[in-house]
Structure formats: structure tokens, C-alpha cells
Amino acid sequence: MFHPIELDRWERKDTFQNFMDLDCSYSVTQDLCVTPFHAHVRARGLRFYPAFSWAVLYAVNRHREFRMGLDGEGRPGYYDEIHAEYTVLDRRTGNMDSLNTAYRAAFSEFYAAMSADLERFERDGTRTVSRENSVLLSCVPWFTYTGLSFHMKSNLSFLRPMFVWGRYRRQGEELLMPFTIQAHHAAADGYHCHLLFADLERVLREPENYLK
């Protein structure tokens, strides 16, 4: 469900309007340590992509700032729950496509659903229905990177954040993976990115407590 926000009663009103007027988005890239998470996923014979996608969605759904959108009248608001819209490579054509899987709070349920959607697409190209209340997830497993940003004609009607991660690399005994948040500044500040990173990193450090 979408909940419109009453601007005059919203503590973020001035900040929201200022950054909407500026049409300002930004991206933040940070290396994440995925050593325990990767080991846990591998030991259980799981695919990294759907497992990590759940971890991102878990963090996103804990923060209203990353569940923002605009309704048909252009009013800002937030969704109760956010789902996954994610890129997938069509190996038949070499082109990228996108699928959508509904978020489940239970990791095992989401993992099974996203894995099934991926397997159907890989088998016969079956697509899924897109949802307005979704965030954009993408993985570029072919290379690592130090920075990334998207450049759109206009961000004004696009409050949904994007999340991208690249190929992990070994540094000493750790596996590090670049992870990028792209957000509209009207919806979220750097402080909110810090909170989301903290929740995500907790899952990566303690996967046995979350991937159930």
C-alpha cells in the first residue's frame, strides 16, 4: 500500500522541496566485506545473487527513505513494502533483461521464489510482472569497480533507489565487493545511507542469524 505524505506536516518538507527543485540525485560506493556471507552461502550450496538480493531488500525494507515514491498526483509517499526488480543476462542474445520477485521476510521463501524466476528465465525466457513498489538491483559480476553512477534525463519522478554490486576480490584473507547506492536526495540523505549500510553489513557479518 502507498501512503501519501502531508507535506505541511512533514519534518522533511523543506529538504524534500529543495532537492526536488534541484533535481538532485547522488551515488555512494563502498567496499563491503562479504567473507562470512560468501562462505555461509557456499557451504549451503546457494546462489549468491538471490541470497545477496534478499540481504539488500531486508535492509531497504527497514528504512522508509528507501521506500519512497510519487503517486499519480505527484505527491510523495512511501510503500509498506518494497520488492526486487533485478537485471539478468539473456545468454541467448547477450542482452540484459529484468525480472521482478516479491519480497518475503523469510529468507528461504524469497530465495526459492527468486531462484525459480531465474531458472524459468534461463530455461525459456519467461518474464515476470513489474511492480511499481520495487527497487532496482543489478550485479556486474564480470569486473570490480571503484565508482558508478547513472545519468537520467530527469530524476524528478524517480524516487526509487538503485543498488548495484560488482565482482568481489580477495584482499588478504577477506573478500571485498563494491556496492553502490544511487538515491534521489529528496528522499534520502547520506545519514540514511549510513543506516542502510549498517543493517546490510550486519547481515553480511552474521549470515547464520538471518539466512533461515
Side-chain angles (χ1 to χ4, degrees):
M1 180 180 293
F2 184 80
H3 302 276
I5 294 172
E6 294 184 39
L7 274 179
D8 290 338
R9 302 180 63 182
W10 191 23
E11 68 278 2
R12 190 175 172 79
K13 173 185 175 181
D14 293 340
T15 301
F16 174 82
Q17 291 182 326
N18 180 50
F19 284 119
M20 286 296 280
D21 290 342
L22 291 173
D23 195 6
C24 176
S25 64
Y26 64 93
S27 62
V28 177
T29 297
Q30 178 173 308
D31 276 339
L32 298 178
C33 177
V34 296
T35 311
F37 187 86
H38 179 268
H40 184 81
V41 167
R42 188 171 184 178
R44 292 180 59 185
L46 304 176
R47 297 176 66 169
F48 188 88
Y49 194 18
F52 187 76
S53 294
W54 179 87
V56 175
L57 288 175
Y58 167 81
V60 165
N61 275 293
R62 289 173 60 84
H63 300 281
R64 193 174 83 171
E65 293 78 14
F66 296 99
R67 292 184 276 120
M68 296 283 294
L70 300 173
D71 67 10
E73 299 176 20
R75 296 178 300 176
Y78 61 94
Y79 293 98
D80 284 329
E81 196 168 58
I82 287 293
H83 306 290
E85 183 172 331
Y86 51 94
T87 59
V88 59
L89 175 65
D90 188 337
R91 299 187 183 279
R92 293 171 289 270
T93 65
N95 295 326
M96 301 302 293
D97 210 323
S98 64
L99 301 177
N100 197 299
T101 300
Y103 173 67
R104 277 87 159 177
F107 166 76
S108 59
E109 294 177 10
F110 175 83
Y111 180 88
M114 182 169 169
S115 296
D117 288 339
L118 285 168
E119 289 167 7
R120 279 192 296 269
F121 180 82
E122 291 162 358
R123 183 177 62 247
D124 55 27
T126 300
R127 291 179 172 84
T128 55
V129 178
S130 181
R131 294 178 174 85
E132 189 67 28
N133 56 328
S134 62
V135 292
L136 305 181
L137 310 177
S138 187
C139 176
V140 285
W142 310 282
F143 56 87
T144 190
Y145 62 85
T146 57
L148 182 149
S149 63
F150 295 90
H151 302 281
M152 292 173 285
K153 184 176 180 180
S154 176
N155 301 306
L156 283 177
S157 60
F158 202 83
L159 296 184
R160 292 191 296 168
M162 302 184 196
F163 302 92
V164 184
W165 54 97
R167 182 176 183 172
Y168 41 75
R169 68 189 187 281
R170 187 165 293 280
Q171 184 170 303
E173 297 182 356
E174 305 294 351
L175 285 178
L176 301 181
M177 187 178 74
F179 180 78
T180 301
I181 299 174
Q182 175 133 337
H184 199 296
H185 216 327
D189 300 324
Y191 173 69
H192 305 116
C193 292
H194 149 71
L195 296 176
L196 187 141
F197 273 123
D199 283 331
L200 177 56
E201 289 173 329
R202 190 175 304 110
V203 176
L204 299 181
R205 285 195 308 270
E206 307 166 11
E208 66 280 358
N209 294 332
Y210 294 91
L211 305 191
K212 299 177 180 179

